[in-house]
């Protein structure tokens, strides 16, 4: 990535984290993934307490990124148990805490 792409990525991450914090997300983790996959450079994982909060978090992330000029490629999993917002170089995965405990074992 060149310098401008890195600056844009940092702005994207900051925008998404702020959007999560606005709706009181818990356990926000930002992972650098560019060395592990070529699909995306950063992944943010966050938790919500209820299905309603998970949906609100995902919506706020998508709206905030769009307002900042970033493209949302897709949003998956609207059940409220988990949702993934794909913004290209950034993927944001939001789930209920109980779902996160079952799915993620980060090494």
């Amino acid at each position: 990535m060149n310098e401008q792409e890195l600056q844009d990525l940092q702005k994207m991450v900051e925008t998404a984290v702020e959007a999560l914090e606005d709706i009181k997300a818990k356990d926000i983790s930002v992972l650098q993934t560019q060395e592990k996959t070529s699909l995306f450079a950063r992944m943010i994982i966050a938790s919500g307490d209820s299905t309603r909060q998970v949906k609100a978090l995902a919506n706020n992330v998508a709206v905030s990124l769009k307002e900042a000029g970033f493209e949302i490629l897709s949003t998956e999993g609207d059940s409220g148990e988990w949702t993934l917002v794909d913004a290209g170089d950034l993927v944001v995965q939001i789930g209920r805490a109980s779902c996160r405990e079952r799915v993620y074992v980060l090494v």
Side-chain angles (χ1 to χ4, degrees):
M1 285 189 152
N2 66 38
E3 187 64 31
Q4 183 61 48
E5 290 170 331
L6 286 172
Q7 289 175 357
D8 290 346
L9 177 59
Q10 185 61 33
K11 181 181 176 193
M12 189 185 305
V13 168
E14 290 170 1
T15 300
V17 168
E18 287 173 13
L20 291 166
E21 289 173 342
D22 285 347
I23 310 290
K24 310 293 187 225
K26 295 184 177 177
D27 305 320
I28 300 170
S29 300
V30 179
L31 307 174
Q32 294 190 21
T33 57
Q34 72 271 15
E35 306 246 340
K36 303 201 183 286
T37 181
S38 61
L39 297 175
F40 46 89
R42 299 286 185 281
M43 181 175 198
I44 299 174
I45 302 171
S47 299
D49 290 326
S50 66
T51 56
R52 174 181 262 174
Q53 185 185 21
V54 169
K55 289 178 183 182
L57 287 164
N59 182 64
N60 201 42
V61 168
V63 168
S64 295
L65 288 172
K66 284 180 190 177
E67 287 175 351
F70 299 107
E71 180 181 4
I72 302 302
L73 301 179
S74 68
T75 303
E76 302 291 331
D78 61 358
S79 70
E81 288 295 314
W82 66 271
T83 302
L84 184 129
V85 179
D86 182 352
D89 282 333
L90 173 66
V91 172
V92 182
Q93 196 280 328
I94 306 156
R96 290 187 49 223
S98 60
C99 181
R100 181 175 174 172
E101 291 168 3
R102 289 192 313 262
V103 174
Y104 286 102
V105 178
L106 300 176
V107 180

